[in-house]
Amino acid sequence: MKNKITKAIFPVAGLGTRFLPATKSIPKEIMSLVDRPLIQYAIDEARAAGIKEFIFVTSRGKAALEDYFDHAPQLEAELKKKGKDDLLEEIKNTNMDSGAIAYIRQHKPLGLGHAVWCARRLIGNEPFAVILPDDIIAAEKPCLQQMVEAFAENPGNMVAAMEVPPERASAYGILDVKEDHGSLVSIKGMVEKPKTGEEPSNLAVIGRYLLTPQILKNLNLKQTGAGGEIQLTDAIAHEITENRPVYGYRFRGQRYDCGSKSGYLQATVSFALSRPELRDDLLGFLREVVNVEQAAQ
Ligand code: UTP
């Protein structure tokens, strides 16, 4: 098995029901933070981590996503004619080299584990990354790059981990910690969506994974778990029972759950505030809103 990670799976076949009716016709991943779709942040993070092959697991209604990564000759010609070089440069970042991107269909939304399994033939016998584009992570060093560097020192399955308050734990997969080494944590179990009070730690799994090809073999068993879905965390937890290493990685950065309305709005405000051309206007507006809200209380 080679040790360098050059392939990433982007599971984008979910129904995105929390954003209905918008997601009736727009894939969730095309929704934008300021002016860039969620998927562009995920691609940029993958590129920074050395990913060369991008595998999308899609479903019906995701055509806009495929178009997004295509060349747009007419638009590019028009921008060139008008001398809009900065926009041309932005557009170039969205283009993918021929052969660098692949689309696989998940015919039924049977769960994240199943979505990853759908890409098994494109992965073969090498470690790979999984990125959930609705988890957006603002970080000085991109999260996946931090993980790839940790993986080079400690090869083994690795999940991004984030501390959550106990009352939020039931929304996540939670790690059962064996040894805590600071940023790297070795784990002895994982529980998907534990009942409140039964969470084994405060460390939640979020949407970045580095996985060994054995995970795909575990997913071959197609066992269903929480919510009747084929869970990726179950396939990873199985490795622990076989005494193969599984790590949690406490990344440095701020994660936004853009799969939820509240997280998406918070990310929008935060990313807008980090743009110098928008910051002053937006700050002024936010102050006004807060004043009005406080006065009304
Ligand atoms: P979510 O749990 O956020 O589900 O999936 P969802 O369908 O996207 O959104 P809601 O809950 O209905 O609003 C987490 C990730 O796993 C992918 C999703 O596309 C998302 O990136 N996924 C989930 C699949 O690709 N296939 C599945 O069967 C389930």
Side-chain angles (χ1 to χ4, degrees), residues 68-274:
Y68 177 76
F69 290 115
D70 229 336
H71 281 263
Q74 228 175 343
L75 175 63
E76 285 173 28
E78 205 57 38
L79 292 174
K80 205 168 183 177
K81 210 164 80 188
K82 294 195 165 131
K84 305 212 169 207
D85 294 342
D86 46 341
L87 288 179
L88 255 180
E89 206 46 45
E90 278 285 336
I91 295 281
K92 264 193 202 142
N93 284 332
T94 69
N95 294 340
M96 287 289 209
D97 291 341
S98 297
I101 192 161
Y103 301 95
I104 294 274
R105 280 266 177 139
Q106 184 191 27
H107 290 122
K108 282 186 194 161
L110 297 177
L112 175 59
H114 181 260
V116 169
W117 177 80
C118 288
R120 66 200 177 282
R121 293 204 177 84
L122 291 174
I123 296 294
N125 190 34
E126 55 186 279
F128 59 99
V130 175
I131 298 185
L132 305 191
D134 42 11
D135 270 339
I136 294 283
I137 302 168
E140 215 163 286
K141 183 184 280 189
C143 178
L144 199 71
Q145 189 182 350
Q146 295 175 36
M147 291 175 72
V148 163
E149 287 173 9
F151 180 91
E153 309 258 301
N154 303 275
N157 296 285
M158 194 177 286
V159 299
M162 176 184 92
E163 287 172 11
V164 292
E167 67 275 13
R168 298 282 307 124
S170 62
Y172 295 91
I174 300 290
L175 302 183
D176 194 354
V177 176
K178 186 160 85 180
E179 283 170 41
D180 195 331
H181 302 285
S183 46
L184 204 67
V185 174
S186 71
I187 62 182
K188 58 177 187 240
M190 291 165 91
V191 187
E192 187 60 40
K193 302 189 171 55
K195 290 200 183 98
T196 305
E198 292 180 12
E199 58 279 356
S201 77
N202 67 347
L203 278 181
V205 179
I206 61 118
R208 304 287 182 274
Y209 309 77
L210 299 180
L211 301 174
T212 58
Q214 180 64 37
I215 297 297
L216 300 170
K217 293 194 185 125
N218 300 350
L219 288 169
N220 272 337
L221 303 174
K222 300 222 189 83
Q223 280 162 348
T224 52
E229 294 194 336
I230 299 173
Q231 298 284 357
L232 185 58
T233 41
D234 291 343
I236 301 170
H238 183 77
E239 289 299 274
I240 301 169
T241 62
E242 299 288 331
N243 285 322
R244 288 189 281 263
V246 179
Y247 301 105
Y249 183 80
R250 275 197 189 91
F251 60 94
R252 293 172 302 284
Q254 171 72 41
R255 173 256 191 182
Y256 298 92
D257 175 10
C258 291
S260 78
K261 286 175 201 150
S262 168
Y264 176 71
L265 292 170
Q266 287 169 31
T268 300
V269 172
S270 173
F271 278 73
L273 286 176
S274 70

